[in-house]
Amino acid sequence: MAREGALVAVHYARNEQAAQETVELIEKDGGRAFPVHAELGIPDDIDQLFRGLEAGLKQHTGQTTLDILVNNAAETSTGTAPEEVSAEEFDKLLAVNTKAPFFITQRALELIPDGGRIINISSGLTRVANPSQIVYSMTKGALEQLTLHLARHLAPRQITVNTVAPGVTDNGNAIFKIPEVREQMSQLSAFKRIGEPEEVADAIAFLATDQARWITGTTLDATGGSLLG
């Protein structure tokens, strides 16, 4: 996004150092960015997020216009059998993965101009069965419904709403350093490898451009052809 000229608001929940490093990397590359802190899924989360966002936008641009919203934050589960899912785990995933994006988008619509972009990040798990990730998959399926209905609702304003569904992507988690796990995960993709963050980011950036102005209400598969058969 920054390479394409966007001022990027880097949201973080707990890892301030990582957010600051991201901002510094963007600035080192000639881009513009600022961090925004807000823990999602707790009281006052949306207000806190937008206080920081609007302050940062005003500082850097003199106004609070938000052209592009990417709903990317999510909680994942470690893998729990359906019989063992607790109400606490269910509520936590639902609060961050489904409720937060809905109300973030609702609030952002006050700032997004006509012709803006909303991009929701789902998961390839919404189209395959993985019982140990049932709650996570449910929350992401709901996000795809948010895309569908908002695309229709916001079309008169020329705001496109789309979903990107990544597959197995190396996000820096320690599990990706285990050779046998990497090999097993690699077999899911048609390319027989694990996806890189940049490959998903490129798909997201495309949907934010004017080139994607005629695309709305759809889910872009960014799984590297996972489980094609």
Side-chain angles (χ1 to χ4, degrees), residues 168 175-176 181-189 193-194:
V168 177
I175 196 170
F176 289 103
V181 174
R182 286 189 67 91
E183 176 60 25
Q184 184 180 19
M185 289 180 171
S186 295
Q187 298 309 306
L188 297 173
S189 165
R193 65 176 178 82
I194 292 172

Side-chain angles (χ1 to χ4, degrees), residues 10-215:
V10 180
H11 164 247
Y12 69 98
R14 291 174 290 274
N15 198 336
E16 181 179 3
Q17 180 181 349
Q20 192 57 49
E21 287 174 358
T22 302
V23 170
E24 291 171 1
L25 283 170
I26 289 172
E27 292 177 340
K28 185 178 179 181
D29 203 31
R32 299 179 302 152
F34 62 91
V36 177
H37 172 248
E39 179 94 23
L40 300 180
I42 63 174
D44 195 42
D45 54 351
I46 308 302
D47 287 339
Q48 181 183 1
L49 175 66
F50 277 87
R51 280 195 298 269
L53 173 64
E54 291 180 21
L57 288 173
K58 198 145 193 178
Q59 178 184 347
H60 287 81
T61 69
Q63 54 188 1
T64 58
T65 301
L66 179 68
D67 298 293
I68 304 161
L69 170 65
V70 180
N71 284 310
N72 183 53
E75 286 282 354
T76 59
S77 63
T78 55
T80 308
E83 296 88 347
E84 299 172 359
V85 174
S86 67
E88 182 182 14
E89 179 182 2
F90 187 98
D91 289 344
K92 182 179 181 181
L93 266 66
L94 192 68
V96 176
N97 299 1
T98 304
K99 182 179 179 181
F102 179 89
F103 286 102
I104 288 171
T105 304
Q106 182 189 71
R107 181 77 165 266
L109 288 176
E110 302 173 9
L111 310 179
I112 297 176
D114 291 357
R117 300 283 186 266
I118 298 172
I119 303 163
N120 297 317
I121 310 305
S122 179
S123 168
L125 282 173
T126 61
R127 61 180 178 84
V128 297
N130 186 339
S132 67
Q133 296 285 349
I134 185 170
V135 180
Y136 176 77
S137 300
M138 288 170 64
T139 64
K140 290 300 188 177
L143 201 58
E144 292 179 5
Q145 287 297 306
L146 179 66
T147 291
L148 182 67
H149 294 279
L150 280 182
R152 179 68 177 270
H153 180 65
L154 296 174
R157 293 182 54 189
Q158 305 301 308
I159 296 174
T160 67
V161 188
N162 290 290
T163 299
V164 172
V168 177
T169 307
D170 188 345
N171 60 7
N173 191 293
I175 196 170
F176 289 103
K177 300 187 186 305
I178 304 173
E180 54 268 30
V181 174
R182 286 189 67 91
E183 176 60 25
Q184 184 180 19
M185 289 180 171
S186 295
Q187 298 309 306
L188 297 173
S189 165
F191 300 115
K192 303 304 178 187
R193 65 176 178 82
I194 292 172
E196 296 296 330
E198 294 83 355
E199 293 170 314
V200 178
D202 283 343
I204 297 168
F206 164 70
L207 289 174
T209 67
D210 190 55
Q211 292 174 310
R213 64 191 178 279
W214 199 236
I215 303 172

